[in-house]
Each structure stands twice: as structure tokens, then as C-alpha cells.
Amino acid sequence: MSGGFRSRSKKASTASTGSKREPRSEANRGADGQHPEQRGRISVGGKRHAGNRDDAQAQEQKGPAGEKNGGGGNRGRINQRDNNRSDHRGGGRNGRRGGGRNDRPRGGNDRRRGERNDRRGGGRSRGQDASFEVPDVDTPRLITLSALGAVFNDGAYGNIALPREITEAGLSGRDAAFATEIGYGTMRMVGVLDEIIGSCSSRPMSELDPIVLNALRMGIYQLLYTRVEDHAAVDTSVRLVPQRVKGFVNAILRAVQKKPLEQWIEELAPEGKLAQLAFRTGHPEWIARSYLATLSAPSGAVPSANGVGTESSADGARADASAARSDPSTDPSAEPSTGSSTILFDELAKALEADSTRPIVHLAAKPGEISADELALITGGEEGAYSPYAVYLEGGNPADFEPVQEKLAFIQDEGSQLIGAALVRVDVDNDAGRWLDLCAGPGGKATMIGSLAAIDGATVTAVEIAPHRGDLIRKATEGLPVTVVVGDGRTVDVGSSFDRVLVDAPCSGLGSLRRRQESRWTKDESDIEELTALQYELLEAGVSRCKPGGVVVYSTCSPDLRETREIVDKALVTLPVEELDAHPLVAPMDNVGREKSVQMWTYRHGTDSMFFAVLRKKAE
Ligand SMILES: C[S@@+](CC[C@H](N)C(=O)[O-])C[C@H]1O[C@@H](n2cnc3c(N)ncnc32)[C@H](O)[C@@H]1O
């Protein structure tokens, strides 16, 4: 458990959920109602070092030099209806964020600070620098509150902070599952939860202590989104907060309890069909608009009934999609009166809902080492539908399987496997076996490409700008013909005339929101604007290092048109490249859009919503 709650024992509690399926037992409480192992002190202002983090991780977590940590400050209510949002963020961002840090993630996936060494429980409690008794609450809720503090107040990643809390507390089975459900659920829905809190609270959210705010979020999530008994959700939330605010928290939760989720959504959702759908599915509106633009465009749309669209209709649809993104008044879903806009709206709903589904683990059988059917047999998994190397695992810890321990298999989303394989599958005349991965960290695709290179007698140069990520690539590709070079892909000196080049560009990560539960609220549309210049420059650098007749694969883990088609379309008019049809490279996967590029969607394919295009460098 992170700093904050210090129990004398890390023993997991049982009977913790008070689930409607299984009423909570009070039998294991002492006369005063406390679990004995949870008595102790709570340090609300203290810091401690995690002590188990390597320097590389710590570096990644610190973020840009000089950047101040958000600390325990919570910046107030995040009001979706309110156009004047700057006061909610402290950073003047357009997007909403749970907890309102005063700094922000920068540069897509990679520059966001991860967990800090000095995590606090639910965040610092204003006006209190003394300790108070550890709340009398079961361990799953205690550690979940601690993880929420790490995420919303200290900038940690939820998918790192919560599993760590669970492991450190020794939780397993139902307790671990319960902490995961309420922790990840609260992170995903935090924008909606904050809206509800704001509507019930007599105090401005900016005046709420982080512990109080996070306990309220968690309590409301249990009330509205889970089958936890109302009394258990309210009672445990009240126990989590200091004495002086117990009445306040109790009053808010009692008010929330009076209405079902649907009624809250109806009352608080902003105007407009799109905004309402975004709110209901727990997304900032700009993300729903981004998805809608792609689903409206040929590159991300379901194939039309009569097959592939013509070039001119593709151009027209692209313009419509762009308009839908930038101008709410042209929103094709605003009035879904026509059949096609209703279908589009249904597709959008599925795409947004998929962001809140639990991803199953995809393993990649290392080419040349083990086949997918062997791996499936050993692990009890199921062979993938699209990648010849994929195995789906329904449960279990992947690290427990021998092929993973022996590095014959590794965890990799099936979409990433397909992109790595596509780079090697596409025809290149006189392939001399010099391949380049220009944005390689942490090394997933480099491992796939490197394994295929080992079979073909080729070599891979893997470039990565972040040194610690360079180390991760080295570790992942040990034993493969991969040379790691740390440097800026735009300028690094690795030579030219590569036969195959992968530019897996840093991106917004909108295609993998299901893996980073809170990230939809911590990202900002301006992140995309910042990234597109870098993405194009990296693609340009990739093309310049490719030999005439060689291929460049440009990919992102985002379906946002600004990061996908718009970059490729610009390259097609400014760089010496032509686009190849990428669809055969992912067969039997279909339904990947009506242009030559491939747009995968989580709701259609079960992969992350990844994009890639294949460009051939023209002869000089
Ligand atoms: C989307 S990730 C790549 C994922 C990787 N291909 C894999 O499959 O594991 C983008 C990577 O590009 C790196 N990066 C960002 N800017 C870069 C630059 N200018 N030159 C090289 N790498 C860069 C990031 O640090 C990040 O590791």
C-alpha cells in the first residue's frame, strides 16, 4: 500500500464488498467495528519512497525537468456544461480531468509522469498535517482510495498504481477483483462522477480535500455502477474520511442514492446527442467527436454495401469527417433521423463502449521459436483470429506460463503483431535485409520484427529517443538480430537505404483507452495538435532513410484522423512515396476501412484501435 494508510498488517480482508449478491458480513469486526489489522495511523501529509522502482522508471515518472508535481491540490469542479473550464485544470486545458492536477501529461504516451516516489493515500488533506486513525474499512477499499490518490493527485498511471497496491496489500481472488472493479471503474467514469458531486455539493469542488473527493468518487461509483449494497457503499465511504467531513460525505451519498444512474445521466448530460453519448459512456466530448470523424471517413468506416468507395466519394466523405470534427453544427449524429446517421451513431456508441471493456491478454508466439497452436495448447488459450502468432488468454497470469518465462512468447496486442508482420510481409525487390524501426521503445514491434528478421537473415536497427526505453528494447530483443540506438529518429545517424522502415509514431493513444483507465480524462485535444508535427517529421525521416523501392509502414495506436490519414495524405503529396493496399497484409481481418490503409477498431476486431498505412518509396 502506498504512503498514506499505514496498517500494521497487510493482510487482506475478506467480506469486503458488501455486494448485493453477497451481503457483507460484519462478523469479522471487533467490538468497535474495526478490522484489527487495519488499525494504525494515517499520514496525510507524509512522503515516503517506494524503494522498489528502478532509475529508469523513476526518470520516466518525473517528467520534464522542473515540472512541478500536482501534489495534493485539487483544482475544483470539472463542469462539462461550463465553457469556462480553465479554472478546473490549472493548466488551461480544454479537456476535463479527474482531480485537477496543476500540471499535465505532455507528448502523448510518453512524457506523462508516472507514479511518484512519494505517493500519498487519497492525497494531502488540507489544513491537516497530523495523522489520523486508519479508517475502519476493508483493505480493498483502502488500497483503492490510495491508488486513486496516486492517480488523480500525483499523476500515476492507474494500470500501474492499482495493481501495485493490490500486490503490496497481498490481495487476491475476490478482494483483488473488487478493488480492480471499483478502482478502474472510478478512474474511467471520473468525469461523470465529478459532475454528480458538483451538482450535489454545497461546497465548491476546489475546496474539497483530495481524500474526500476520491472517497466520494469511489462511493458514487459503487452506488451507481456496481451491485454493492447502498448501505455498504455509503457506510464505507463515510468511514474513509476524517471526522469533520463525515456528515458532508454522508449527505452527498444519500442524495446520490435517491436516483438511479439513468436519471443522473439524463439530468446532467450536456445538450446534444453526441455530448450525451459521450457523457453516458464516460468520455470527454472531444474524444467522441474524434471517433465520429473517423467513423464518418472512408478510412475508418464500415465498408459500404457496394464495396470500396470511389476516390471522389472518399474525398467528399473525408471533408465531411473533418467538418464533423471541427464544427459541432455539422455533427452527422446530432439528429440521427436518417438511416445512415443512425447506423453511424450506433457504431460510435459501440466504439465508445469498447473503451470500458476489459482487454483480454494477447500473447505473441515468437516466430521461429514456437507456433501459435503449440502456445495455445500449453497455455490453454485460444489461437488468434487474425495474426498467425496470436493466442488469446482468458485468464491467469501470463508470466506464469513457461513459454513466456523462456521468452518464446510475449505479451502483445494482436493489432501490433499484425503491423510488425505487415512490415515484413510486403514485397520488396532485392531486400538486402536492412530493416529500421524508428520509434522502437519499449520494443514490442521490434521483438516481432527481430524474430522475423532472424528467420530471414536480416538485421533490425531500433531507434528510441528515451534511454530507459532503449534499455527495455535491449531486454525484449535479447538474442535477436536487433541493434538499439538511442537518439532522435529525425536526426540520428543510422545510415540510409533501409529496405523496410517502421515509423510507429508517438501518438495520443486514443486507440488504447481501455488499457489506461483514467487516460480519457487526462488527455487533451491539444496533445494531438502538438504531436502531429512530430509524427510527420518522423515519417519524413523514415522515408529519407528508405531505399527507392523500399517500404515505409506508418502506424499509430490512435484512430484520430489528424494522426492517421492526414499525416499519410500529406506525405503522399510532399514526399516521394506512393501508397500500397495494406488490406491483404492483415487478411483475414476485414472491415478495416475503405482506403488503402488499415484502421482496426476494438469493437470490431478486439484489438486496440490501431492504424497503419504502407508507403513505397518511388524510384529516383
Ligand atoms: C508508440 S511508441 C512505439 C511503440 C513500439 N513500436 C512498440 O511496439 O513497442 C513511440 C515511441 O517513440 C519514442 N519517440 C518519441 N519521439 C521520438 C523521436 N523523436 N525519435 C525516436 N523515438 C521517439 C517514444 O519514446 C516511444 O517509445
Side-chain angles (χ1 to χ4, degrees), residues 372-384:
D373 61 331
E374 285 168 330
L375 184 61
L377 266 177
I378 296 170
T379 57
E382 186 193 336
E383 279 186 69

Side-chain angles (χ1 to χ4, degrees), residues 7-337:
S7 303
R8 286 186 187 136
S9 157
K10 295 214 182 282
K11 255 173 72 183
S13 69
T14 51
S16 59
T17 63
S19 157
K20 284 169 190 162
R21 282 160 289 191
E22 186 176 301
R24 187 177 59 149
S25 159
E26 294 295 316
N28 57 347
R29 295 182 183 279
D32 59 356
Q34 286 197 295
H35 291 288
E37 72 271 19
Q38 287 160 3
R39 283 174 169 282
R41 307 293 295 171
I42 176 170
S43 167
V44 291
K47 296 184 176 185
R48 76 179 176 106
H49 291 284
N52 58 351
R53 314 189 60 78
D54 62 43
D55 290 342
Q57 275 179 301
Q59 183 57 40
E60 184 168 14
Q61 289 151 11
K62 269 187 227 154
E67 197 174 67
K68 279 182 71 177
N69 192 284
N74 99 60
R75 297 276 157 182
R77 172 171 180 204
I78 297 166
N79 186 340
Q80 204 173 42
R81 285 174 152 170
D82 184 355
N83 285 333
N84 179 16
R85 290 173 170 171
S86 58
D87 57 332
H88 304 320
R89 276 168 245 115
R93 306 180 72 187
N94 292 328
R96 304 187 309 157
R97 337 148 93 205
R101 275 160 280 183
N102 64 1
D103 51 5
R104 66 188 190 90
R106 306 176 69 82
N109 293 337
D110 309 307
R111 282 182 286 160
R112 182 180 178 198
R113 283 172 298 105
E115 283 181 280
R116 293 182 42 168
N117 288 339
D118 55 342
R119 293 180 297 153
R120 299 169 206 106
R124 189 170 296 177
S125 183
R126 184 175 298 105
Q128 285 204 344
D129 47 20
S131 298
F132 61 87
E133 286 292 318
V134 166
D136 167 25
V137 179
D138 52 280
T139 306
R141 286 186 177 88
L142 267 179
I143 60 118
T144 301
L145 184 66
S146 183
L148 293 176
V151 171
F152 293 128
N153 306 108
D154 291 342
Y157 288 128
N159 64 348
I160 294 175
L162 186 59
R164 174 167 298 158
E165 295 282 358
I166 288 172
T167 304
E168 287 184 4
L171 295 191
S172 60
R174 293 167 62 99
D175 282 338
F178 180 64
T180 303
E181 181 188 0
I182 61 171
Y184 284 168
T186 302
M187 292 172 204
R188 282 192 199 105
M189 291 297 157
V190 71
V192 176
L193 302 172
D194 283 0
E195 200 69 24
I196 295 171
I197 295 169
S199 76
C200 295
S201 173
S202 52
R203 301 182 199 178
M205 291 212 355
S206 57
E207 289 175 15
L208 298 184
D209 282 346
I211 286 178
V212 174
L213 183 56
N214 289 330
L216 279 170
R217 289 166 168 163
M218 200 167 94
I220 296 173
Y221 182 80
Q222 291 169 73
L223 283 174
L224 299 181
Y225 290 94
T226 73
R227 293 201 278 170
V228 171
E229 292 282 1
D230 287 1
H231 73 83
V234 175
D235 176 61
T236 52
S237 303
V238 170
R239 286 169 192 251
L240 281 169
V241 299
Q243 185 62 40
R244 65 196 161 80
V245 285
K246 284 187 190 299
F248 170 75
V249 166
N250 186 56
I252 296 228
L253 294 176
R254 293 284 174 211
V256 172
Q257 193 191 340
K258 285 187 184 140
K259 298 179 209 167
L261 175 64
E262 273 315 311
Q263 197 176 334
W264 281 110
I265 299 280
E266 213 166 279
E267 285 177 15
L268 296 176
E271 293 290 306
K273 189 102 184 144
L274 183 71
Q276 282 172 14
L277 178 61
F279 191 71
R280 183 169 63 71
T281 57
H283 288 78
E285 188 180 337
W286 73 267
I287 293 181
R289 191 168 297 286
S290 160
Y291 285 13
L292 177 68
T294 306
L295 289 165
S296 314
S299 64
V302 228
S304 56
N306 59 354
V308 175
T310 62
E311 215 160 281
S312 57
S313 70
D315 287 347
R318 222 178 285 160
D320 289 349
S322 174
R325 198 180 59 234
S326 55
D327 178 3
S329 67
T330 62
D331 171 1
S333 70
E335 293 301 331
S337 50

Side-chain angles (χ1 to χ4, degrees), residues 110 438-445 464-465 469 487-489 504-506 534 538:
D110 309 307
L438 202 57
C439 306
K445 293 186 192 70
E464 167 57 46
I465 199 165
R469 288 186 159 229
D488 187 325
D504 190 28
L534 174 62
L538 285 163

